[in-house]
Amino acid sequence: MLTALRSLFFMLAFYVGSLVFVLTAMALGSVTPMMVQRIATGWSRYHRSCARWLLGQTVRVEGDLPLGAYLYIIKHELMFETIDVLCLLDRPAIGAKRELFDIPLWGRIARLYGLIPIERAAGASALRVLRAAAKDRIAQGRPLCLFPEGTRVPHGEAPPLRSGFAGLYSLLGLPVVPIAIDSGRVSPRGKFLKRPGVITYKVGQIVPVGLDRKEAERQVHAAINALNPPSALDQ
């Protein structure tokens, strides 16, 4: 019963609070994109505070997280990490599904913030557009972040990476920082109940530039699934 009440209070507090952040960004976003980025960072901190104080979920980072011109590749189990990454990194430019930009209000804020739209069936032309957007964000001094599985994955599963990762890795020439997360362990996908516990980010070894596609994918795939049961890598 306590877990259910906590989950309900979290949903109410987070979504009502999110509406306030969105409306504020809409009101001030025309002034400067930097203002939207600051509001988005505040929204992420608000989300983390709601998770901590209402759900009893805390965040731990294992390993040294390098900051700079890197391509950050993160495991995707819940919506949690797509929001919390703004606490983890400084104004990250995140690759997001193109369909999300069509959501009323949110889509406009996403563009002002500088999210990078990704076409799921990305051909050569779409990849060139993605590369141009990524290079623009790098020039702004912002880190790049990608969730390479394309959608949320239940904890314990390790599907292959989408082709967009290999394309960006080859085109951008940036070292990769792979990051595992186990958010789905405390809040299973598709379940209303969100349990208390520790959500861990595990930073893997940096994947250098210049590797062939298969080797780069192998290293990244293993690193982002490091918090899964060992049998997950056999999938």
Side-chain angles (χ1 to χ4, degrees):
M1 177 63 75
L2 179 58
T3 299
L5 287 174
R6 279 183 157 190
S7 300
L8 177 60
F9 288 147
F10 170 81
M11 295 289 285
L12 291 173
F14 174 64
Y15 284 107
V16 171
S18 294
L19 180 59
V20 173
F21 278 99
V22 168
L23 293 176
T24 302
M26 288 290 292
L28 301 179
S30 58
V31 178
T32 168
M34 180 62 75
M35 182 66 72
V36 174
Q37 293 166 18
R38 290 174 179 171
I39 293 170
T41 300
W43 174 58
S44 178
R45 290 172 179 165
Y46 173 73
H47 170 259
R48 184 181 279 198
S49 295
C50 287
R52 178 177 182 179
W53 300 112
L54 297 178
L55 296 176
Q57 296 178 350
T58 56
V59 174
R60 174 177 63 198
V61 178
E62 292 184 358
D64 296 324
L65 181 63
L67 303 178
Y70 295 99
L71 176 58
Y72 296 85
I73 300 297
I74 303 178
K75 179 75 178 176
H76 189 15
E77 295 190 348
L78 293 178
M79 183 178 70
F80 177 91
E81 54 270 12
T82 63
I83 302 173
D84 193 71
V85 69
L86 276 70
C87 287
L88 197 68
L89 303 170
D90 178 28
R91 301 177 300 118
I94 306 167
K97 294 181 291 187
R98 176 64 183 79
E99 307 91 275
L100 296 178
F101 289 76
D102 296 328
I103 298 175
L105 294 182
W106 194 94
R108 185 172 189 295
I109 299 302
R111 289 184 175 86
L112 288 171
Y113 174 81
L115 292 187
I116 301 175
I118 296 178
E119 298 284 353
R120 285 191 166 186
S125 60
L127 197 56
R128 285 194 293 271
V129 171
L130 181 60
R131 180 194 185 194
K135 283 187 171 294
D136 174 71
R137 307 305 187 272
I138 292 171
Q140 296 175 23
R142 300 174 63 183
L144 299 179
C145 177
L146 191 66
F147 296 93
E149 293 153 317
T151 189
R152 289 171 290 175
V153 176
H155 183 67
E157 294 187 9
L161 308 182
R162 295 258 181 162
S163 58
F165 159 69
L168 268 185
Y169 172 75
S170 299
L171 289 172
L172 295 177
L174 290 175
V176 175
V177 179
I179 303 175
I181 189 171
D182 62 354
S183 55
R185 181 180 54 80
V186 296
S187 300
R189 179 186 175 186
K191 302 293 185 182
F192 171 74
L193 296 181
K194 302 179 184 299
R195 299 189 299 268
V198 178
I199 295 175
T200 300
Y201 290 101
K202 184 176 178 62
V203 183
Q205 292 290 323
I206 294 175
V207 177
V209 299
L211 300 180
D212 63 61
R213 172 175 177 161
K214 288 187 177 180
E215 178 59 20
E217 288 184 336
R218 185 193 67 79
Q219 291 188 24
V220 168
H221 187 262
I224 68 171
N225 288 290
L227 293 174
N228 279 0
S231 58
L233 293 179
D234 297 331
Q235 297 177 24

